């Protein structure tokens, strides 16, 4: 049985075949409309979410399957003190696959060890978010036609932003990807990513503070919000929250064929005036998230695919 905790759980071949399947689903959705008619997905969300939970649910419904679950720790037995290991043992009796989001790093991994159904990490604290990464990879590949030979700028809260950690782990496995890491000093990427992922793999990367300096070089700009819920005090958050604001003026520095991605939710870091720029791809990205989660569910459940 397979689980998905980080993009490293998938080989590059497996990543590519999930993206290929997602692209086929995009082209021929009808073909897949009943392949999971007898399957159930449980969404166990101990932390807020709009896109991830709903896109998992939409993905399973598009495949003909059913969904059940909870959307906050307060409405589950976690509020009575139940462990994730016990919860997943119980949920294994109700569902065939589960997506779990939890504020504690490693909680979905603990659950997977006690589970008799595949567990997908839908975000664990400030650690990893592999299905957002699949979404990001599909978006980049669909818009640019490739995942190699790109310069990507990751901007904002690189310290607590789990989507950034997962995306770097996935992209370093494609040839000639250059990273420009744009953040304030206090929100630089964690050393386990810098040392163990970038330096160890001999990856070309730079760390800068000014977005304006990086913009002209980029093929992809990946904006992120400052992760308010991971700060220890409100004062630090308030000081950091408007550090970057991408607006029309700054977009003049970017290439004509650069695309802006954002995992969403957006707070202030992209001005709404940028939304009408053809290079703004963050709402298209949401749609790719549904296709890729459909492909992931089919892969982990080893569903026989229609020809
Ligand atoms: C991200 C997350 O939860 O890490 N959101 C999402 O899943 N699309 C990004 C964020 O919350 O900033």
């Amino acid at each position: 049985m397979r689980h998905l905790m980080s993009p490293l759980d998938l080989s590059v071949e497996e990543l590519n075949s999930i993206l290929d399947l997602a692209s086929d689903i995009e082209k021929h959705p009808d073909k897949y409309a009943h392949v999971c008619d007898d399957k159930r997905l449980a969404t166990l969300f101990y932390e807020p979410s709009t896109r991830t939970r709903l896109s998992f649910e939409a993905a399973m419904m598009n495949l003909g399957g059913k969904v059940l679950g909870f959307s906050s720790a307060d409405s589950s037995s976690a509020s009575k003190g139940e462990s994730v290991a016990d919860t997943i043992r119980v949920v294994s009796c109700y569902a065939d696959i589960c997506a779990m989001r939890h504020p504690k790093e490693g909680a979905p991994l603990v659950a997977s060890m006690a589970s008799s159904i595949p567990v997908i990490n839908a975000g664990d604290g400030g650690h990893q978010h592999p299905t957002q990464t699949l979404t990001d990879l599909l978006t980049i590949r669909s818009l640019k036609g490739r995942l190699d030979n790109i310069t990507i700028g990751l901007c904002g809260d690189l310290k607590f932003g789990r989507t950034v950690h997962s995306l770097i782990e996935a992209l370093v496995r494609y040839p000639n990807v250059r990273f420009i890491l744009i953040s304030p000093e206090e929100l630089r990427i964690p050393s386990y990513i810098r040392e163990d992922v970038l330096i160890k793999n001999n990856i070309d990367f730079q760390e800068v503070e000014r977005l304006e300096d990086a913009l002209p070089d980029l093929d992809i700009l990946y904006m992120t919000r400052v992760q308010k819920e991971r700060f220890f005090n409100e004062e630090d958050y308030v000081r950091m929250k408007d550090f970057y604001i991408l607006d029309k003026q700054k977009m003049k520095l970017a290439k004509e064929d650069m695309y802006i991605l954002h995992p969403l939710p957006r707070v202030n870091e992209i001005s709404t005036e940028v939304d009408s720029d053809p290079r703004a791809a963050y709402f298209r990205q949401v749609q790719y998230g549904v296709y890729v989660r459909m492909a992931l569910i089919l892969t982990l459940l080893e569903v026989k695919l229609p020809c």
Side-chain angles (χ1 to χ4, degrees):
M1 195 188 20
R2 297 285 302 268
H3 305 288
L4 182 67
M5 295 299 127
S6 107
L8 294 177
D9 295 339
L10 298 165
S11 66
V12 176
E13 291 70 32
E14 285 171 321
L15 273 177
N16 290 339
S17 80
I18 290 173
L19 301 182
D20 290 344
L21 180 55
S23 297
D24 193 62
I25 291 169
E26 177 184 8
K27 283 192 215 101
H28 311 286
D30 294 348
K31 230 169 78 180
Y32 298 89
H34 293 288
V35 286
C36 283
D37 274 356
D38 56 345
K39 303 285 186 214
R40 287 166 192 236
L41 164 81
T43 51
L44 312 183
F45 276 59
Y46 296 83
E47 213 188 35
S49 167
T50 302
R51 265 148 304 273
T52 306
R53 187 171 60 82
L54 296 184
S55 70
F56 263 114
E57 297 190 358
M60 193 47 145
M61 288 177 193
N62 291 346
L63 296 168
K66 299 187 175 61
V67 296
L68 64 164
F70 54 80
S71 56
S72 78
D74 298 345
S75 63
S76 79
S77 282
S79 63
K80 301 181 189 167
E82 187 171 54
S83 68
V84 289
D86 280 3
T87 302
I88 197 71
R89 275 190 200 107
V90 170
V91 170
S92 297
C93 304
Y94 307 146
D96 303 286
I97 187 164
C98 139
M100 178 184 282
R101 169 169 288 190
H102 203 285
K104 281 209 186 103
E105 282 84 357
L109 178 65
V110 171
S112 72
M113 291 175 194
S115 178
S116 51
I117 59 172
V119 177
I120 301 168
N121 176 6
D124 62 328
H127 187 218
Q128 294 280 337
H129 192 346
T131 64
Q132 182 62 46
T133 294
L134 292 173
T135 305
D136 303 337
L137 296 181
L138 182 63
T139 309
I140 297 171
R141 202 182 75 161
S142 301
L143 298 176
K144 299 296 290 181
R146 62 180 195 278
L147 288 169
D148 51 8
N149 295 300
I150 54 169
T151 298
I152 178 166
L154 298 139
C155 176
D157 186 347
L158 308 188
K159 180 177 180 187
F160 297 118
R162 55 194 173 194
T163 64
V164 167
H165 308 156
S166 291
L167 185 55
I168 294 176
E169 281 194 355
L171 275 177
V172 294
R173 295 189 282 158
Y174 291 87
N176 204 15
V177 177
R178 228 180 109 217
F179 295 88
I180 306 191
L181 305 172
I182 309 151
S183 74
E185 180 65 28
E186 287 156 272
L187 298 178
R188 287 170 64 191
I189 47 152
S191 61
Y192 85 92
I193 299 283
R194 186 182 306 102
E195 313 294 327
D196 300 346
V197 182
L198 294 167
I199 296 177
K200 210 178 191 169
N201 290 300
N202 244 325
I203 304 297
D204 183 351
F205 78 99
Q206 250 174 284
E207 296 187 83
V208 303
E209 195 170 275
R210 273 170 49 88
L211 176 57
E212 293 85 335
D213 295 342
L215 260 174
D217 281 342
L218 304 179
D219 300 311
I220 299 287
L221 171 61
Y222 193 90
M223 291 296 291
T224 62
R225 91 185 151 90
V226 176
Q227 305 280 299
K228 181 178 183 192
E229 64 277 34
R230 316 252 178 254
F231 276 73
F232 291 114
N233 67 68
E234 175 84 13
E235 216 176 275
D236 286 346
Y237 169 70
V238 169
R239 206 158 36 78
M240 292 287 118
K241 75 180 172 67
D242 293 329
F243 204 93
Y244 298 107
I245 299 181
L246 181 66
D247 56 16
K248 266 192 169 159
Q249 194 59 30
K250 291 200 188 78
M251 280 304 289
K252 290 188 185 151
L253 298 168
K255 290 183 192 168
E256 281 303 306
D257 61 351
M258 184 198 83
Y259 286 101
I260 312 160
L261 271 63
H262 190 309
L264 304 177
R266 150 181 63 188
V267 187
N268 283 332
E269 57 282 354
I270 304 178
S271 159
T272 51
E273 67 184 21
V274 177
D275 296 357
S276 56
D277 188 308
R279 294 169 290 183
Y282 30 92
F283 290 114
R284 276 176 274 173
Q285 197 178 346
V286 174
Q287 182 64 62
Y288 288 120
V290 179
Y291 301 135
V292 93
R293 289 185 174 95
M294 290 168 76
L296 177 67
I297 290 169
L298 293 177
T299 305
L300 294 181
L301 285 178
E302 298 179 3
V303 171
K304 195 171 173 311
L305 298 178
C307 322

